[in-house]
Amino acid sequence: DRNDPATDILAGRPVPRFVASLDEEALRGARIGILEAYFGTAPEEAAAGRLVRSAIDRMVALGADTITIDIPDLEELITGSGVIGFETKWDLIDYFSNTPGAPVSSLGEILETGLVHEALTPRMRDRNQSEERNSEEYLAALAKREPLREAVEATLNRHSLDALVFPTVRTIPSVIGDPQRGSSCSLGANTGLPSISVPVGLVSGVPIGMELMARTLEDADLVAMAYAFEQATDHRRIPPNTPALIERKAPAMVVVALRHGRAEQASGLSLSGNSSLDPVSNKLMFDIRLRGVEEAEVLGVVLRFPHEDGGWQVADLVMRAGQVSARRVVSMTSRHREALDAGEMHLLVLTRADPKGAIEVHLDPTR
């Protein structure tokens, strides 16, 4: 790519052919270094670490050999080597200047539109403060990247490794708008070494990734190892917030039937109304009413789904104490959607006479 100097490294070399490199046996005989320092020791890092270690065991079963390694002085080498904060403003200016008809010409103009989400505004404003393209701080950060890359590749060579492995993110991924902590992605970004993340399972309905990293220009070998792992496992799930199009259109609202049990008939207490699911926004909507009970006797109506370790847990308080009718929109997580689609969600009516649950009304999405 004549517009990307980083691709000059391929001059005189064969271009990697990733499809041709795919090999279900690529992990057989591969030597993988477990970067122990990137697993973390904090309690909130335990769940992701367990899944990644389980995935490493699976790679061993597929023929890989593993060894626990460390990279000398890694923390000192990587600190201050990030450049995205220095480059964003200037790269956007270059991009817009080469984009005919662009509605804005800079990061500053993007901010002036008032159309930036609050979760991004502080960081974007900070990056817009850069006053010169090649500041001393930027050049110092660039100078740290080569020693960092050399240290990582020296470790790969010293232990005769084909790749390093570690959690992509050490903590459970955050929802949009919340800060993400525990990311290990800067190692690949700041060294420029080929890296790939593969799914290794779910925690509380959100995916956990395992990162593999190799030497310069060993991208095709890395893709082959990741492919071999994915073909032998079944961790990827279609995101529930991006349903498949139906004849090139977004899917229609789904009616969620309220299925009553025998307890309603015996007690005289009943719950009626309507419920529907918007599969695009992943929101579950209720318009419900209780009958056969006084307002003062109502403690609430909760939406429940199974806990992974057994029993039930509450997804949302749909109706508050002292109410006999409610309209409520519940934002569903991926775990909620899995439970709903499996017929494992219900409304539980709590009353003073039955504070642990007077009746259950099961939710049945009709397709």
Side-chain angles (χ1 to χ4, degrees):
D1 184 349
R2 63 179 181 274
N3 295 316
D4 185 0
T7 61
D8 291 347
I9 195 174
L10 283 172
R13 300 173 184 266
V15 177
R17 301 298 177 185
F18 295 114
V19 174
S21 73
L22 300 181
D23 179 7
E24 293 186 11
E25 298 294 317
L27 283 168
R28 190 168 302 282
R31 188 167 168 82
I32 310 293
I34 303 170
L35 186 55
E36 190 65 30
Y38 269 32
F39 279 77
T41 57
E44 62 270 21
E45 297 171 329
R50 281 195 299 270
L51 281 181
V52 174
R53 292 187 193 279
S54 177
I56 293 171
D57 290 342
R58 182 65 174 140
M59 288 197 292
V60 171
L62 293 169
D65 182 27
T66 61
I67 180 175
T68 300
I69 58 94
D70 69 326
I71 300 173
D73 303 318
L74 175 58
E75 188 63 30
E76 179 182 346
L77 287 166
I78 199 170
T79 300
S81 62
V83 297
I84 188 172
F86 301 107
E87 293 179 340
T88 300
K89 175 180 179 176
W90 309 104
D91 286 353
L92 283 173
I93 289 174
D94 292 344
Y95 172 76
F96 289 132
S97 67
N98 290 294
T99 304
V104 294
S105 62
S106 67
L107 177 57
E109 289 187 17
I110 293 175
L111 289 165
E112 288 171 2
T113 66
L115 298 175
V116 179
H117 191 278
E118 62 178 341
L120 299 176
T121 300
R123 182 168 293 182
M124 291 179 69
R125 287 188 181 279
D126 183 61
R127 291 175 178 174
N128 195 47
Q129 297 302 311
S130 177
E131 295 183 354
E132 59 177 309
R133 187 182 293 263
N134 294 315
S135 66
E136 290 185 8
E137 295 86 351
Y138 173 52
L139 296 177
L142 284 176
K144 295 202 69 175
R145 296 163 80 86
E146 186 65 16
L148 175 62
R149 182 191 63 78
E150 290 175 350
V152 175
E153 291 198 316
T155 299
L156 287 162
N157 294 335
R158 182 167 57 254
H159 298 286
S160 301
L161 300 174
D162 294 295
L164 299 179
V165 63
F166 47 88
T168 306
V169 178
R170 297 187 299 278
T171 59
I172 296 175
S174 301
V175 298
I176 293 174
D178 290 346
Q180 178 61 62
R181 296 180 174 84
S183 173
S184 304
C185 300
S186 60
L187 186 59
N190 297 3
T191 59
L193 294 175
S195 304
I196 191 168
S197 182
V198 293
V200 296
L202 301 162
V203 174
S204 300
V206 294
I208 300 297
M210 173 180 70
E211 188 151 339
L212 294 167
M213 176 181 290
R215 297 173 184 80
T216 302
L217 297 180
E218 292 185 354
D219 308 59
D221 296 335
L222 201 62
V223 169
M225 287 186 279
Y227 175 79
F229 177 80
E230 282 197 327
Q231 294 303 298
T233 57
D234 185 30
H235 294 304
R236 187 181 183 277
R237 296 291 180 269
I238 296 174
N241 284 20
T242 52
L245 298 179
I246 300 175
E247 296 181 352
R248 299 186 178 183
K249 295 181 180 179
M253 297 285 286
V254 175
V255 175
V256 180
L258 305 177
R259 303 296 186 193
H260 302 272
R262 297 178 181 176
E264 289 88 332
Q265 301 173 8
S267 66
L269 172 62
S270 65
L271 183 150
S272 60
N274 302 302
S275 180
S276 59
L277 173 72
D278 182 347
V280 177
S281 65
N282 218 26
K283 295 186 184 298
L284 183 61
M285 288 157 276
F286 292 98
D287 183 0
I288 56 174
R289 183 174 183 83
L290 293 176
R291 301 184 187 278
V293 64
E294 298 293 331
E295 292 179 350
E297 294 300 310
V298 177
L299 295 179
V301 176
V302 296
L303 177 65
R304 298 204 305 179
F305 69 108
H307 191 279
E308 295 168 348
D309 297 327
W312 296 91
Q313 56 191 339
V314 172
D316 193 77
L317 178 62
V318 177
M319 185 184 294
R320 297 184 179 278
Q323 295 181 329
V324 292
S325 64
R327 290 182 176 178
R328 178 75 174 170
V329 178
V330 180
S331 295
M332 304 282 278
T333 67
S334 57
R335 180 67 188 91
H336 296 159
R337 275 297 303 274
E338 289 177 4
L340 178 67
D341 293 341
E344 297 177 336
M345 262 194 159
H346 63 253
L347 295 170
L348 184 68
V349 180
L350 312 175
T351 66
R352 295 190 183 278
D354 292 289
K356 293 184 179 180
I359 60 170
E360 290 182 6
V361 179
H362 294 269
L363 307 185
D364 181 10
T366 56
R367 303 292 179 181

